[in-house]
Amino acid sequence: MNDGTSTSVDMAGSTEVFGAEQTQRDAGQLVPSAGRGLEAQNLHAWFNKHHALADVSLHFPENTVTGLIGPSGCGKSTFLRLLNRMHEFIPEAAMAGSVLFNGQDIYSPSVSPTDIRLKIGMVFQKANPFPSMSIEENVLAGLKLAKIKTDNKSELVEDCLTRSGLWKEVKDRLKSSAGSLSGGQQQRLCIARALAVKPEVLLMDEPCSALDPGSTLRVEETIVQLSETMTIVIVTHNMQQASRVSDYCAFFLSDGGPGQLIEADLTSNIFTAPQDSRTADYVQGRFG
């Protein structure tokens, strides 16, 4: 059993130990190319003097979905924000450690935070489309802000809305206000907006927490489809959702101190054969 000390996990390596295990796809495809992908190394986070996250190391294989699970207040969302430098937007926030993206530390002084956030996109818990803009304008908003030119805007809008699972529902009203969409549609519009700048990684912070079951299902279908071409990291409190959409799960916990990574593995192992009793207690609903 894990003693609760800091944990370093290369989840791609688990496919070597559990080579016979299958997730939603062939386990052999979960091993990333050398020097590619996203990796956190010994991350710490503070809010003023509050130590929120301690010594977390985690590797995210390319073209997979990793679910971050654990009780509220254990640092999952903080960890997510560290992965694309959103954490530094918060007043008096600080961090230590490294985040490697395709072999380069994103916190290096030579790296542009804006460029990183284009490559490592973010979808937030609450859908945040621009209500004064049309559906089409929302999809293209990120390109406009980043001053990225595209040759065929109509084609890009259709592609992004198709990939986010929204095209068939809105193709005849692209000029309508984004505010006219339902909550689930707005969340998928936000996903489409994130896709327009062609990120390699998509971070999602409880994207279905405010959605009805039908809308949740459609977002989950979108997540699985998108993971065929990009890496996705999703924070979720829904254990059923984690088991449905993720290839890997990472369990975070706080004992009153900073949040820590307790265990990370193939999702099938986390839910059926966890190595730490605290993980078993959490996924089986005995606390949290």
Side-chain angles (χ1 to χ4, degrees):
M1 297 296 176
N2 193 300
D3 61 4
T5 57
S6 62
T7 306
S8 176
V9 182
D10 182 344
M11 294 187 292
S14 67
T15 59
E16 298 174 5
V17 179
F18 303 101
E21 294 288 346
Q22 298 294 308
T23 58
Q24 286 89 336
R25 66 200 74 187
D26 180 2
Q29 297 176 8
L30 301 180
V31 181
S33 302
R36 304 235 3 125
L38 183 65
E39 182 176 2
Q41 296 182 342
N42 309 112
L43 282 186
H44 294 257
W46 291 267
F47 297 99
N48 199 349
K49 295 181 180 180
H50 173 61
H51 195 185
L53 193 71
D55 202 19
V56 175
S57 297
L58 197 59
H59 176 255
F60 303 96
E62 287 186 295
N63 300 347
T64 63
V65 181
T66 299
L68 307 183
I69 62 174
S72 297
C74 64
K76 304 183 301 299
S77 294
T78 296
F79 177 68
L80 198 71
R81 289 192 297 269
L82 286 167
L83 297 178
N84 76 340
R85 299 189 60 166
M86 294 289 289
H87 180 68
E88 60 196 53
F89 281 146
I90 301 171
E92 299 186 320
M95 61 83 63
S98 302
V99 177
L100 300 183
F101 178 58
N102 295 339
Q104 183 178 31
D105 187 356
I106 70 171
Y107 285 92
S108 168
S110 63
V111 174
S112 164
T114 301
D115 290 344
I116 285 299
R117 294 178 195 124
L118 291 175
K119 295 174 183 177
I120 306 176
M122 187 90 162
V123 175
F124 298 93
Q125 180 176 359
K126 183 178 179 181
N128 59 344
F130 302 115
S132 62
M133 292 185 181
S134 69
I135 294 168
E136 182 179 58
E137 289 170 336
N138 263 273
V139 176
L140 299 172
L143 291 173
K144 185 175 181 180
L145 289 171
K147 299 180 180 179
I148 299 173
K149 295 182 179 180
T150 182
D151 294 332
N152 194 326
K153 292 182 179 180
S154 297
E155 186 177 300
L156 178 64
V157 168
E158 180 176 350
D159 177 65
C160 293
L161 289 172
T162 298
R163 292 173 69 199
S164 68
L166 191 56
W167 174 250
K168 291 182 180 179
E169 297 169 46
V170 302
K171 62 181 180 179
D172 296 323
R173 50 180 177 137
L174 296 178
K175 303 300 182 181
S176 299
S177 167
S180 67
L181 299 176
S182 70
Q185 290 173 327
Q186 288 186 14
Q187 189 63 288
R188 283 180 284 152
L189 178 59
C190 292
I191 294 173
R193 186 175 65 196
L195 295 177
V197 296
K198 296 180 169 46
E200 295 180 40
V201 179
L202 191 60
L203 311 176
M204 310 183 85
D205 192 0
E206 295 190 68
C208 302
S209 64
L211 304 184
D212 62 84
S215 296
T216 294
L217 177 61
R218 285 188 283 275
V219 172
E220 289 179 359
E221 290 171 345
T222 297
I223 291 170
V224 173
Q225 291 168 0
L226 291 176
S227 69
E228 295 177 2
T229 57
M230 66 175 57
T231 303
I232 296 178
V233 186
I234 176 173
V235 170
T236 179
H237 285 281
N238 186 324
M239 294 301 94
Q240 291 75 25
Q241 180 174 82
S243 66
R244 286 192 298 263
V245 305
S246 65
D247 302 297
Y248 293 108
C249 269
F251 173 55
F252 287 70
L253 188 63
S254 169
D255 60 1
Q260 297 182 4
L261 173 62
I262 302 301
E263 182 173 358
D265 204 338
L266 289 166
T267 297
S268 55
N269 291 333
I270 289 291
F271 281 89
T272 63
Q275 298 300 301
D276 192 293
S277 60
R278 294 167 294 178
T279 308
D281 287 344
Y282 183 76
V283 299
Q284 293 169 15
R286 287 195 280 268
F287 77 94

